[in-house]
């Protein structure tokens, strides 16, 4: 069945939705995006995602063409129109379509392109993978230096996922100057005893919306949080590891570069954090 999607003010069947070949995101990856999960028909951490969207747009000097209320109304309309109980809403804002190719930014009054669509994922929170955990490989982090901006430049993360797949694994952790930055599409953590270690915020990583919530809940649950870089060797000796993102929540990591953690099964902390995160976020969902 065809989805209803949103393009520049219109709700359309997906087959009829069109964007110009001159769109800056198509030609230059000049656009930003957000992914918000839907559980029980409600949006998880919508405000967090909208705040980060504003920050990404500000950093690239792209105008935010919609108000907070308009963004919310579009999200809710798409969730309702497409009958999404569990799934995702993807949104993308680009610098627009100037009608030609030019490296220079187009005039600031060019309307940005806005696209939103849903992805249906029944049982998203009850993912069987969360019970067994994922296996990761490490690869060099050769991305650009502004990973704090959520741009649609996702070629290297896609290549990283393919390298992991070829190695019989689920994902890749990115390593720069000997330390893990983050996963291809998630933030990375290790656990030692009662302590959770994850890289500190900077331009080197995306400031995960799930990360912020999970660290808050961890501190509230009297777990210790240390924000600093860690190496693959340190991760391989950790008690547990996990990743967080809007689409996977808290996902245990049970193997890193062929070395099993905790006997190759999820430990206690990551599943506990997943449970707290899902409980609390579903209570606050809108
Ligand atoms: N990815 N780091 C990177 C590089 C990411 O692409 C993502 C999210 C995260 C986690 O951020 P958050 O908790 O706000 O989802 C960290 C999304 C889910 C994606 O590209 O599909």
């Amino acid at each position: 069945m065809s989805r209803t999607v949103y393009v520049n003010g219109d709700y359309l069947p997906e087959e009829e939705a069109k964007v110009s070949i001159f769109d800056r995101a198509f030609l230059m990856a000049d656009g930003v995006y957000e992914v918000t999960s839907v559980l029980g028909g409600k949006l998880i951490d919508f405000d967090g995602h909208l705040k980060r969207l504003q920050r990404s747009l500000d950093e690239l000097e792209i105008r935010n063409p919609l108000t907070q209320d308009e963004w919310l109304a579009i999200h809710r309309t798409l969730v309702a129109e497409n009958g999404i109980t569990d799934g995702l809403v993807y949104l993308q804002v680009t610098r627009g379509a100037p009608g030609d190719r030019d490296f220079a930014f187009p005039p600031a009054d060019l309307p940005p392109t806005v696209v939103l669509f849903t992805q249906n994922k029944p049982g998203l929170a009850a993912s069987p993978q969360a019970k067994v955990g994922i296996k990761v490989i490490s690869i060099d982090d050769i991305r650009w230096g502004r990973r704090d901006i959520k741009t649609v430049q996702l070629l290297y993360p896609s290549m990283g996922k393919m390298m992991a797949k070829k190695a019989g694994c689920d994902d890749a952790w990115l390593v720069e100057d000997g330390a893990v930055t983050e996963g291809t599409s998630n933030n990375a953590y290790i656990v030692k005893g009662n302590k959770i270690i994850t890289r500190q915020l900077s331009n080197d990583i995306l400031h995960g919306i799930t990360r912020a919530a999970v660290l808050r809940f961890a501190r509230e649950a009297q777990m210790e949080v240390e924000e600093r870089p860690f190496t693959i060797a340190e991760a391989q000796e950790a008690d547990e590891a996990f990743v967080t993102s809007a689409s996977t929540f808290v996902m245990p990591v049970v193997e890193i570069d062929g070395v099993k953690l905790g006997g190759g099964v999820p430990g206690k902390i990551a599943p506990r954090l997943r449970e707290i995160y899902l409980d609390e976020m579903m209570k606050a969902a809108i």
Side-chain angles (χ1 to χ4, degrees):
M1 206 183 75
S2 161
R3 271 173 294 193
T4 297
V5 303
Y6 176 96
V7 185
N8 296 330
D10 295 322
Y11 292 95
L12 298 167
E14 63 189 54
E15 303 79 17
E16 290 172 27
K18 302 270 189 300
V19 175
S20 164
I21 62 160
F22 297 112
D23 195 276
R24 294 273 303 185
F26 181 62
L27 296 178
M28 301 194 174
D30 189 357
V32 302
Y33 75 107
E34 282 295 331
V35 177
T36 303
S37 62
V38 179
L39 292 175
K42 292 185 171 177
L43 299 162
I44 302 295
D45 218 337
F46 177 78
D47 286 352
H49 288 284
L50 260 278
K51 274 199 192 95
R52 187 174 59 194
L53 172 67
Q54 187 62 56
R55 181 178 182 280
S56 295
L57 291 170
D58 288 346
E59 291 298 315
L60 296 179
E61 298 174 27
I62 298 176
R63 183 159 50 88
N64 184 345
L66 298 167
T67 65
Q68 174 94 1
D69 287 350
E70 287 169 333
W71 282 115
L72 181 58
I74 298 167
H75 278 70
R76 285 185 164 156
T77 301
L78 289 179
V79 168
E81 287 276 319
N82 295 307
I84 307 292
T85 303
D86 295 333
L88 308 169
V89 182
Y90 175 90
L91 82 78
Q92 180 169 325
V93 182
T94 86
R95 200 180 300 279
D100 215 341
R101 180 174 181 270
D102 190 346
F103 281 84
F105 288 179
D109 60 354
L110 183 77
T113 300
V114 179
V115 169
L116 288 92
F117 58 83
T118 55
Q119 284 187 248
N120 194 21
K121 297 203 177 268
L124 179 63
S127 150
Q129 208 166 32
K131 297 260 183 307
V132 292
I134 61 167
K135 297 176 185 176
V136 302
I137 57 166
S138 64
I139 60 173
D140 281 348
D141 194 343
I142 60 164
R143 297 173 301 162
W144 79 324
R146 290 303 307 273
R147 302 152 192 164
D148 56 310
I149 308 173
K150 198 165 171 62
T151 73
V152 296
Q153 286 183 69
L154 297 176
L155 181 54
Y156 190 63
S158 295
M159 290 167 73
K161 296 257 189 212
M162 294 313 291
M163 289 183 235
K165 209 169 163 180
K166 278 194 195 124
C169 292
D170 305 289
D171 207 351
W173 278 9
L174 305 168
V175 175
E176 186 173 56
D177 299 331
V180 174
T181 51
E182 58 188 332
T184 58
S185 64
N186 41 57
N187 291 114
Y189 308 73
I190 57 173
V191 180
K192 288 179 164 184
N194 193 39
K195 191 193 289 176
I196 293 158
I197 301 162
T198 193
R199 196 180 180 98
Q200 71 280 11
L201 296 181
S202 70
N203 293 353
D204 298 339
I205 63 168
L206 187 74
H207 301 187
I209 300 306
T210 319
R211 177 189 184 280
V214 164
L215 293 186
R216 187 173 77 242
F217 296 139
R219 287 183 173 112
E220 282 170 13
Q222 313 305 323
M223 296 172 194
E224 207 183 317
V225 174
E226 202 173 310
E227 296 182 63
R228 64 159 173 86
F230 59 85
T231 64
I232 289 291
E234 187 180 10
Q236 288 172 324
E237 284 172 11
D239 298 324
E240 289 182 44
F242 63 93
V243 293
T244 65
S245 77
S247 51
T248 61
F249 313 117
V250 178
M251 180 62 70
V253 170
V254 294
E255 195 179 300
I256 303 171
D257 283 342
V259 174
K260 285 186 171 47
L261 272 69
V265 293
K268 286 203 173 66
I269 301 263
R272 176 90 189 103
L273 280 173
R274 180 182 177 89
E275 194 181 301
I276 299 174
Y277 176 82
L278 286 169
D279 280 357
E280 294 296 324
M281 297 316 279
M282 281 172 80
K283 272 191 245 160
I286 60 167

